[in-house]
Amino acid sequence: MSGWFEDIKIGARQELGSYIFTQDEIIAFARKYDPQVFHIDPEAAKQTMFGGLIASGWHTAAVWMKLAVAGWGAENKAGISPGFEDMRWLKPVRPGMTVSYSTEIIEKVELKSRPELGLIKSLNEGRDENGEVVFRFIGKGFVPRRPKGEPA
């Protein structure tokens, strides 16, 4: 999603791409950032409530970020976020699973305190091969307003 705040349409949707989570990448990410047994040890993970190795939720979020930045393009004027809302990991992501990510604009807020900026909210999801949501959150991003005199 790019352009000036005024150009962004509620309901605009972008498919960000897909990612295959491999066992090696799941373990490598988790060893560095989320070293819980069900992320780093396939054998020990069998004895957990998950019954096997799963990707860290932070790994699924990091992949969303990578694909989102790649999909925004050079003309993107956004990039600063005041945070996320309601981040949820709804289904375990297992080795070999392909997750397809998307983003959809759900709200625009004109900022009285910062009239040069607008705030957009987006519904961001990752879905497995069956279309089931495995990861979801509401993103927020500041987007510059079109300067006076700038053509539409």
Side-chain angles (χ1 to χ4, degrees):
M1 309 288 164
S2 59
W4 300 107
F5 177 78
E6 291 78 6
D7 299 332
I8 296 171
K9 305 288 186 221
I10 293 175
R13 182 178 172 83
Q14 184 176 3
E15 300 302 323
L16 300 174
S18 297
Y19 187 85
I20 300 170
F21 286 81
T22 68
Q23 178 170 301
D24 289 346
E25 288 176 340
I26 288 170
I27 292 170
F29 183 95
R31 280 189 178 144
K32 192 166 186 179
Y33 301 108
D34 190 359
Q36 298 181 72
V37 68
F38 42 82
H39 299 321
I40 62 172
D41 185 333
E43 286 305 311
K46 291 177 184 176
Q47 305 308 312
T48 71
M49 66 183 281
F50 298 109
L53 191 76
I54 64 168
S56 166
W58 299 113
H59 191 175
T60 61
V63 171
W64 174 87
M65 190 74 215
K66 177 182 177 164
L67 294 173
V69 170
W72 288 336
E75 71 280 4
N76 181 51
K77 293 176 176 42
I80 299 172
S81 174
F84 297 132
E85 297 175 2
D86 202 27
M87 186 173 285
R88 295 180 182 251
W89 295 286
L90 302 165
K91 182 179 173 186
V93 173
R94 300 190 182 275
M97 186 181 283
T98 299
V99 176
S100 299
Y101 293 89
S102 64
T103 185
E104 180 179 345
I105 303 300
I106 58 171
E107 186 178 350
K108 291 172 60 173
V109 180
E110 295 184 16
L111 301 174
K112 291 183 170 108
S113 63
R114 302 277 312 264
E116 74 279 11
L117 296 174
L119 180 74
I120 59 168
K121 290 188 178 184
S122 58
L123 174 62
N124 302 281
E125 294 181 329
R127 293 179 177 266
D128 68 11
E129 300 95 332
N130 299 318
E132 294 181 42
V133 178
V134 300
F135 168 69
R136 172 183 286 156
F137 71 95
I138 303 297
K140 297 187 284 187
F142 293 119
V143 180
R145 303 289 303 265
R146 179 178 281 111
K148 291 184 177 161
E150 176 83 22

